[in-house]
């Protein structure tokens, strides 16, 4: 897991080397390939060897999103009460016979469920069993975050194995994702300052009472690739069809409807066909643009 | 007679105005209008009314349907009614027939065929049989040619049975000499031209023009129908056009070109052709969103969190609809109601629940203006010399491209000169939205907002801070241009808003058919009780009083064009329509009224259109209600107002009256030849290679800069933009004033000095000197641009800085400063580069004159050129010539004056010169002039001109020769003598 994180921050620097815009056809190939993968670092290695021309962080992001879709699809199957009960019983019985083995990880692998999600189900069952009541969400989250709060030490160890080895779910991944997001917003602000562009950030906007706030609003608009940019939204993920459409409806169109055309940076790349709303005011990039045109200062440009 | 019962059918307006009905309307009115010449106004009106009534005022639909059709056939036009009209005209020619008879249109004898005008027995004329073919309904894809013809040419449809007048055979055996026919036509076109100039007739001017052009274009097909032959047709229309030249000359360049290039014009009137060519020269054919503004849009503007958040969603939903509409409304079978109906209503119901209608109404109204008003870009000077280039790729490109796109994409259907009101482009979205939403709360809020903004726009000040509204006075400094732009923007916005206000206001009363009389009466009684949404009458009266009709009338026309069937019958709206009618009647194009010509033209065009669309109750035409009131109103107007300013330019005229484009289409159809074969009009779009300077990258860069500048203001408070525009405007104007006062003055002073210095030298040719100094000055004048740039960069930033809030962020401030500087510079430079040369020339001319007057004449008597070849320089001095004639000493020029004064008289007997004396004098003069050392012949002539003794035009053609002649004594003498003799003879 930490591997992927460090590698992801490394790719921010060398993204110019590796292409991050993927056509839809290629994306489908990757999508099919990751169907068989589990959210482990070994699988990530496999993925990287399969698509060596893509940055590891891009691959991780793609896998993570595809995997989440997969989990959502199979949610009902895993969350049926009898299924949960069965998983719990299986864990219980195996914990007696071979407690040292990575029981929950194995089970997760077997039934193709995210280890962190499985751990959550098991802890839930455990608490229910002990307290004979439904555990509060808060308690549950705390236990997942800090497994040694779980009264059963063996279970705590297995839960920890799960949350640490799952590169798609779990408190650790949530934390990492959040951090990456902030990191890139910060990166964006640094780049803007480097380029001497003055802007208002989300917090300043909220203070002014805006109802929808992109990460950045430029005080003086710029042009990228011939398109006017009023606002910039930073997305530390890969822009696939699903996530992009969600973002469009929830965020990007709203920004457009309030501030005019803008720029979305998918730091980990995007499906190239999605960049089709440029004329409608949404421009996609996979990094901070180097071809910014600003409003020239001074009257120099005045006459032909 | 029985045959004419169909004829002057009155086109009582029915809701479903088909083309044929229109056609009928038109032709009917045209039929009427040939009367006014011989009858007094009131009698005429009476007669019209009478005719209308008799023609079946209630609307004999069938008559109307068949009438025009009968007049037109697919293969060629048979202009049945034409004969009758011409007959009428033939009889009422104002000159020859000594006794005028009251015309009876129903009497065939009063309206004999053209050929019969002078050879009475109609029956003996071979008649032409025409089988009428019904036009419109059976020919859904009516071809352009027949469209045209069917519109303007079918005169008050005489029934098919009427014997065809002036047929081909008739022409062949025509009793008229060519001369006689011409005479006839000459009178007729005079009649028509008079009719034209008087608005006091129920006919839209545009209809007339279209009609004329149609006659003209379709002369060949008309040939056998009416005017005898193609030549007569063309002669007729060319002459009328000639009489109405001023009107024609204000049409767009393309139309004028088509007209002037038309060989027929050249053949029949070379002077019209020349005029047209000249007019062409003179022709200076000059989705974004509403940003979130915290000041009006943040939480504190909403009554509750819920309202705030609902509105947050509604804004996005609304734009979602707009995008969806843009994407799909052109697809076949797409229907607003079916595709968006339920979602629109859902959205509106959520608004109702949250009580945030007012916010949405504001957004709606702003978005409407933004999308539908038409392009109006900051700081674009479309008639600056470089504007063609900059315009193509810069600020104007949007508008231009849009117009080009429209030409390419929109079916070039012939909408006719009076199309019904419509909602073109994005307006359709807004209209459909309102219809579909059908939400009374929303409509009420919209009405409030629209009314408020309309009245605000109506009051808006167009004049710049220091512009003098006095008529004829040049405001100079580009202020006028600014005003024209501002006016255009205000007027277009007002018209748009007025149309929607009318739409919403009369929406509840719209019915597809004219209700029956009973229902009408009930409705009138019912609706007369409630007060109208907007007191248009008061607004109109006030606008007449304050001379702002050019702004008010066009938007009120838009508002009233939305009236429902009952609306015009309500006393209130009837009054409004009467007011408009009286304003129209009192406005005579080009008759030295207070209005500028283009202003008048716009008013006449929009009013004419209103009177022609179906809702206008035609009995109103003859109403004299309010006549006195309007007269009085006009008499007590304030002395200054918008009406006296030249605010309407050609682009505005065509934007407001797209139907004027019909002329172009008509002529284009002619160029395209037989369009019926090719199945429609050929769209002629000439690709022009703009003389683009610099590589394409720099051009797109430039465009991008313009876009960025526009974008900059987008998310800033509106006051920022206003401040920048205002400061730029003022700094630019001041810059020009400053340059006039400093640079120009200095340059001219320098020129004066050079002139004085050079005049002292021997052998200086003042004419050449004048030219060379002037050229130098003009060259030096170019430095004005540099000076202007410097002036603006020095003064604009400080001015903006002072006016913007202290809290403005540095980058915003810097950007605002640089935009202001650029705009100011652009304004100043574009004015200067267009005018500095003229200005300098003018200033120099007067300076030159001043210097020349002040310099002793001896200096002036310089000769740059050599004397006549055999000159011995021994000829007498000018004064000596004088001595020979009269024995006192006077300067040369006085001698002439003396001779002239004697010639002109009063004189005593002994003062008279004999022919011999004059000849002798002239001989001497000739000798004297032959020697360049002795006198400045130019000066003599100039003196003569200055004293008004010699017409400049008389010298005019010879002037260049005078100046450049290598002096063959004979030539010079002859020229001069000629001029002198002309002058003398005139006096004698």
């Amino acid at each position: 897991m930490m591997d992927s994180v460090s590698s992801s921050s490394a790719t921010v620097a060398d993204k110019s080397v590796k292409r991050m815009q993927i056509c839809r056809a290629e994306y489908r190939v990757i999508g099919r390939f990751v169907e068989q993968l589990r959210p482990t670092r070994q699988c990530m290695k496999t993925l990287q060897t399969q698509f060596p021309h893509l940055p590891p962080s891009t691959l991780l992001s793609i896998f993570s999103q595809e995997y989440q879709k997969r989990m959502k699809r199979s949610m009902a199957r895993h969350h049926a009460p009898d299924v949960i009960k069965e998983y719990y019983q299986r864990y219980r019985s195996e914990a007696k016979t071979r407690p040292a083995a990575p029981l929950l990880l194995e089970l997760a692998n077997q039934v193709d469920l995210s280890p962190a999600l499985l751990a959550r189900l098991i802890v839930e069952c455990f608490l229910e069993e002990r307290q004979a009541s439904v555990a509060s969400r808060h308690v549950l989250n705390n236990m997942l975050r800090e497994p040694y709060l779980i009264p059963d030490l063996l279970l705590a160890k297995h839960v920890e194995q799960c949350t640490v080895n799952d590169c798609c779910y779990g408190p650790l991944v949530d934390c990492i994702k959040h951090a990456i997001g902030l990191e890139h917003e910060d990166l964006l602000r640094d780049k803007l300052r480097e380029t001497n562009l003055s802007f208002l950030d989300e917090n300043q906007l909220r203070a002014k009472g805006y109802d929808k706030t992109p990460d950045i609003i430029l005080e003086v608009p710029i042009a990228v690739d011939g398109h006017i940019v009023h606002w910039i939204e930073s997305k530390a993920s890969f822009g696939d069809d699903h996530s992009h459409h969600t973002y469009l409806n929830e965020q990007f169109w709203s920004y457009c409807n309030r501030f005019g055309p803008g720029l979305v940076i998918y730091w980990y790349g995007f499906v190239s066909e999605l960049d089709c709303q440029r004329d409608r005011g949404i421009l996609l990039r996979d990094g901070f643009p180097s071809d910014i045109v600003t409003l020239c200062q001074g009257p120099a440009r005045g006459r032909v | 007679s029985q045959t004419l019962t169909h004829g002057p059918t009155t086109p009582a307006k029915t809701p479903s105005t088909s083309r044929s009905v229109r056609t009928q309307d038109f032709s009917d009115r045209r039929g009427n209008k040939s009367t006014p010449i011989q009858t007094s106004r009131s009698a005429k009106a009476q007669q019209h009314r009478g005719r209308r009534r008799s023609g079946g005022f209630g609307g004999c639909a069938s008559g109307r349907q068949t009438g025009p059709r009968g007049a037109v056939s697919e293969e060629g036009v048979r202009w049945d009614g034409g004969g009758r009209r011409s007959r009428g005209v033939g009889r009422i020619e104002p000159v020859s027939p000594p006794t005028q008879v009251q015309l009876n249109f129903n009497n065939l004898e009063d309206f004999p065929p053209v050929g019969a005008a002078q050879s009475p027995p109609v029956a003996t004329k071979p008649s032409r049989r025409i089988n009428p073919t019904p036009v419109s309904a059976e020919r859904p894809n009516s071809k352009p040619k027949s469209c045209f013809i069917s519109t303007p040419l079918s005169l008050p449809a005489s029934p098919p049975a009427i014997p065809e007048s002036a047929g081909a055979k008739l022409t062949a055996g025509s009793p008229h000499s060519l001369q006689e026919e011409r005479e006839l036509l000459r009178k007729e076109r005079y009649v028509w031209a008079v009719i034209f100039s008087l608005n006091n007739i129920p006919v839209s001017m545009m209809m007339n023009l279209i009609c004329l052009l149609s006659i003209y274009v379709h002369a060949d097909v008309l040939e056998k129908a009416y005017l005898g032959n193609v030549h007569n047709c063309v002669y007729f229309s060319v002459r009328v056009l000639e009489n109405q030249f001023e009107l024609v000359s204000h049409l767009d360049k393309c139309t004028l070109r088509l007209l002037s290039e038309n060989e027929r014009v050249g053949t029949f009137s070379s002077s019209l052709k020349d005029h047209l060519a000249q007019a062409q020269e003179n022709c200076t054919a000059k989705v974004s969103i509403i940003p979130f503004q915290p000041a009006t849009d943040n939480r504190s503007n909403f009554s509750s969190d819920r309202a705030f958040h609902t509105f947050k969603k509604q804004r996005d939903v609304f734009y979602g609809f707009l995008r969806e509409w843009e994407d799909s409304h052109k697809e076949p079978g797409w229907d607003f109601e079916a595709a968006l109906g339920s979602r629109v209503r859902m959205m509106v119901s959520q608004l109702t629940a949250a009580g945030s209608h007012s916010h949405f109404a504001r957004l709606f109204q702003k978005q409407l203006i933004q999308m539908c008003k038409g392009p109006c870009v900051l700081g674009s000077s479309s008639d600056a010399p470089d504007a063609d280039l900059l315009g193509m790729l810069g600020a104007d490109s949007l508008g231009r491209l849009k117009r080009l796109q429209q030409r390419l994409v929109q079916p070039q259907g012939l909408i006719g000169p009076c199309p019904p009101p419509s909602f073109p482009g994005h307006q359709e979205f807004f209209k459909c939205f309102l219809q579909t939403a059908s939400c009374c709360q929303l409509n009420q809020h919209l009405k409030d907002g629209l009314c408020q903004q309309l009245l605000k726009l109506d009051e808006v000040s167009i004049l710049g801070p220091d512009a003098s509204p006095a008529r004829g006075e040049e405001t100079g400094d580009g202020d006028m241009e600014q005003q024209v732009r501002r006016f255009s923007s205000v007027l277009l916005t007002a018209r748009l808003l007025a149309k929607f206000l009318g739409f919403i206001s009369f929406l509840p009363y719209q019915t597809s058919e004219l209700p029956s009389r009973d229902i009408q009466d009930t409705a009138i009684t019912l609706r007369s009780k409630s007060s109208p949404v907007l007191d248009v009458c008061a607004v109109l009266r006030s606008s007449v009083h304050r001379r702002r009709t050019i702004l008010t009338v066009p938007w009120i026309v838009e508002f009233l064009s939305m009236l429902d069937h009952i609306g015009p019958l309500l006393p209130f709206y009837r009054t409004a329509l009467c007011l408009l009618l009286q304003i129209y009647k009192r406005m005579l194009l080009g008759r030295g009224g207070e209005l500028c010509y283009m202003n008048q033209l716009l008013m006449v065009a929009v009013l004419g259109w209103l009177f022609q669309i179906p809702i206008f109750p035609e009995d109103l035409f003859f109403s004299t209600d309010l006549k006195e009131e309007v007269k009085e109103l006009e008499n007590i107007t304030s002395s200054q107002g918008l009406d006296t300013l030249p605010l309407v330019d050609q682009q505005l005229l065509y934007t407001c009256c797209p139907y004027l484009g019909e002329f172009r289409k008509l002529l284009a159809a002619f160029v395209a030849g037989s369009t019926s074969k090719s199945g429609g009009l050929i769209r002629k779009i000439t690709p022009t290679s703009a003389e683009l300077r610099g590589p394409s990258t720099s051009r797109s860069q430039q465009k991008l800069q313009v876009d960025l500048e526009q974008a900059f203001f987008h998310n800033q408070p509106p006051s920022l933009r206003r401040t920048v525009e205002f400061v730029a405007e003022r700094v630019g104007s001041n810059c020009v004033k400053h340059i006039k006062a400093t640079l120009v003055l200095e340059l001219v002073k320098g020129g004066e000095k050079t002139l004085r210095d050079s005049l002292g030298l021997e052998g200086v040719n003042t004419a050449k000197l004048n030219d060379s100094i002037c050229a130098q000055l003009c060259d030096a004048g170019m430095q004005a641009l540099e000076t202007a740039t410097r002036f603006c960069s020095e003064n604009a930033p400080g001015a903006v800085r002072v006016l913007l809030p202290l809290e403005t962020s540095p980058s915003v401030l810097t950007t605002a400063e640089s935009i202001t500087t650029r705009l100011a510079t652009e304004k100043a430079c574009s004015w200067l580069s267009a005018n500095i040369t003229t200005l300098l020339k003018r200033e120099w001319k007067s300076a030159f004159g001043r210097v020349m007057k002040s310099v002793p004449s001896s200096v002036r008597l310089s000769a740059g050129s050599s004397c006549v070849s055999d000159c011995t320089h021994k000829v007498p001095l000018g004064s000596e010539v004088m001595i020979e004639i009269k024995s006192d000493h006077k300067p040369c020029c006085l001698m002439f004056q003396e001779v002239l004064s004697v010639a002109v008289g009063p004189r005593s007997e002994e003062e008279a010169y004999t022919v011999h004396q004059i000849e002798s004098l002239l001989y001497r003069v000739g000798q004297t002039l032959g020697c360049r050392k002795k006198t400045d012949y130019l000066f003599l002539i100039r003196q003569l001109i200055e004293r008004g003794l010699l017409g400049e035009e008389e010298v005019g053609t010879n002037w260049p020769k005078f100046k450049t002649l290598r002096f063959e004594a004979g030539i010079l003498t002859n020229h001069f003598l000629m001029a002198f003799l002309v002058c003398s003879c005139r006096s004698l």
Side-chain angles (χ1 to χ4, degrees), chain B residues 193-194 440 455 609 711 731 734 851 882 977:
Chain B
V194 171
C440 60
L455 293 176
W609 172 78
V731 170
N734 292 344
V851 171
M882 181 65 208
L977 289 183

Side-chain angles (χ1 to χ4, degrees), chain B residues 172-378:
Chain B
S174 171
H176 300 301
S177 67
L178 183 67
Q179 208 52 45
E180 284 169 324
E181 280 193 13
R182 283 289 145 82
E183 181 60 14
L184 198 70
L185 287 167
R186 193 186 62 74
K187 284 165 187 160
E188 175 158 350
R189 55 108 173 138
Y190 170 77
V191 166
W192 205 340
V194 171
I195 290 166
F196 239 116
S197 331
L198 302 167
N199 282 335
N200 207 348
I201 41 159
V203 155
S204 130
M205 172 198 73
M206 292 306 141
M207 281 290 201
N208 269 315
L209 257 193
I210 277 279
C211 175
L212 263 182
L213 286 174
S214 297
I215 299 180
Y216 169 70
V217 166
H218 296 285
D220 40 359
V221 290
L222 277 176
E223 183 174 347
K224 298 192 174 135
Y226 163 55
L227 288 168
N229 59 36
V230 63
H231 302 299
N232 284 348
C233 292
V234 177
Y235 179 82
F236 172 73
S237 40
V238 163
R239 289 297 161 185
V240 179
L241 283 178
E242 213 168 8
N243 276 1
Q244 288 299 316
F245 181 73
E246 190 174 3
L247 196 160
V248 176
S249 69
H250 284 83
L251 298 178
D252 76 337
K253 207 169 186 169
C254 188
T255 309
L256 292 177
R257 186 176 53 77
L258 287 165
L259 252 181
S260 77
E261 284 174 1
N262 194 296
E263 64 213 43
R264 288 177 185 164
V265 172
T267 318
F268 282 83
S269 171
S270 56
S271 67
L272 177 61
K273 190 186 166 91
D274 293 346
H275 277 126
L276 285 167
Q278 240 174 358
Q280 269 185 76
E281 302 295 310
N282 300 336
C283 241
T284 47
K286 310 187 178 198
V287 187
S288 61
I289 54 97
I290 300 304
F292 181 98
Q293 294 289 352
T296 52
D297 296 340
N298 71 11
R299 169 66 184 88
S300 58
N301 293 287
F302 288 82
S303 55
S304 66
D305 276 339
R306 181 163 168 237
F308 180 58
H309 290 291
T310 309
F311 186 63
K312 174 172 89 179
K313 281 191 207 101
Q314 301 317 309
R315 180 196 289 263
D316 291 326
V317 172
F318 175 65
Y319 283 115
F321 292 155
L322 194 50
R323 289 195 182 93
E324 196 169 329
W325 180 84
E326 279 185 329
D327 284 343
S328 42
H329 76 281
K330 290 221 172 100
E331 285 167 16
W334 193 86
D335 175 54
F336 193 100
E337 172 60 41
L340 296 172
S342 59
R343 280 186 285 156
V344 166
R345 279 186 289 274
M346 165 108 74
M347 173 196 157
V348 173
S349 71
Q350 277 161 1
L351 280 178
T352 310
S356 40
H357 282 298
S358 63
H359 282 94
F360 182 74
R362 202 182 55 227
L363 178 70
F364 187 90
Q365 188 176 330
K366 281 184 173 176
Q367 191 68 42
L368 173 70
I369 295 173
Q370 181 119 337
M371 297 191 103
C372 304
K373 190 187 81 179
C376 181
V377 191
L378 174 84

Side-chain angles (χ1 to χ4, degrees), chain B residues 70-216:
Chain B
V72 182
S73 76
E74 182 83 77
E75 312 79 57
V77 169
R78 320 293 153 81
W79 198 11
D80 314 29
R84 198 183 69 245
R85 194 173 59 87
S86 80
R87 281 166 246 150
V89 175
R91 288 298 289 270
I92 60 164
E93 55 189 40
V95 199
S96 52
T99 51
Q100 304 269 307
V101 282
Q102 187 69 27
L103 281 183
N104 176 2
F105 283 89
N106 291 349
N107 186 346
L108 247 185
E109 279 179 28
D110 269 355
F111 296 92
V114 118
Q118 277 145 349
S119 43
V122 183
T124 67
K125 294 293 152 198
S127 69
R128 222 160 36 102
R129 255 230 85 74
I130 304 283
N131 293 323
T133 317
V135 192
S136 50
E138 290 76 7
R139 299 167 57 249
N141 302 319
S142 73
K143 288 162 188 155
K145 189 166 73 177
S146 38
C147 281
F148 280 121
I149 295 168
S150 69
T151 309
L153 291 188
S154 47
L155 280 186
S158 42
I162 194 170
E164 289 313 313
S165 55
K169 291 165 212 160
L170 188 146
T171 315
S174 171
H176 300 301
S177 67
L178 183 67
Q179 208 52 45
E180 284 169 324
E181 280 193 13
R182 283 289 145 82
E183 181 60 14
L184 198 70
L185 287 167
R186 193 186 62 74
K187 284 165 187 160
E188 175 158 350
R189 55 108 173 138
Y190 170 77
V191 166
W192 205 340
V194 171
I195 290 166
F196 239 116
S197 331
L198 302 167
N199 282 335
N200 207 348
I201 41 159
V203 155
S204 130
M205 172 198 73
M206 292 306 141
M207 281 290 201
N208 269 315
L209 257 193
I210 277 279
C211 175
L212 263 182
L213 286 174
S214 297
I215 299 180
Y216 169 70

Side-chain angles (χ1 to χ4, degrees), chain A residues 196-200 205 207-212 217-231 249-261 277 279-282 291-304, chain B residues 289-294 297-299 308 311-313 315-317 319-320 322-324 326-327 386 389-390 693 701-702 704-709 711-716 785 789 793 809-812 814-815 818-819 821-822 825-826 829-830 833:
Chain A
N196 281 325
L197 298 174
S198 71
F199 58 88
L200 300 172
L205 291 174
K208 285 194 175 189
Y210 284 85
D211 57 358
K212 286 267 187 178
I217 284 190
L218 294 167
E219 282 194 310
V220 181
I222 55 168
V224 175
D225 216 357
H227 295 267
I228 303 288
V229 171
H230 282 290
W231 50 266
N249 290 331
E250 288 173 4
Q251 298 185 310
F252 305 156
W253 285 131
S254 297
Y255 302 155
C256 265
N257 294 341
R258 286 161 181 76
F259 312 109
Q277 303 283 6
D279 293 334
R280 285 246 169 116
I282 295 170
D291 52 346
I292 288 177
V293 176
T294 53
L295 196 52
C296 292
Q297 305 293 311
R301 73 168 190 86
R303 314 254 345 140
V304 187
Chain B
I289 54 97
I290 300 304
F292 181 98
Q293 294 289 352
D297 296 340
N298 71 11
R299 169 66 184 88
F308 180 58
F311 186 63
K312 174 172 89 179
K313 281 191 207 101
R315 180 196 289 263
D316 291 326
V317 172
Y319 283 115
L322 194 50
R323 289 195 182 93
E324 196 169 329
E326 279 185 329
D327 284 343
D386 278 349
L389 172 68
L390 248 177
R693 279 172 266 179
Q701 288 303 316
Q702 225 181 334
L704 201 55
Q705 288 294 320
V706 175
D707 290 348
L708 275 171
E709 204 170 279
F712 168 68
F713 292 106
H714 188 262
N715 290 329
Q716 300 294 341
L785 299 186
T789 311
S793 332
S809 95
S811 66
V812 171
T814 321
T815 310
S818 75
I819 293 176
T821 308
R822 186 190 71 76
T825 312
E826 198 168 74
C829 284
S830 75
S833 53

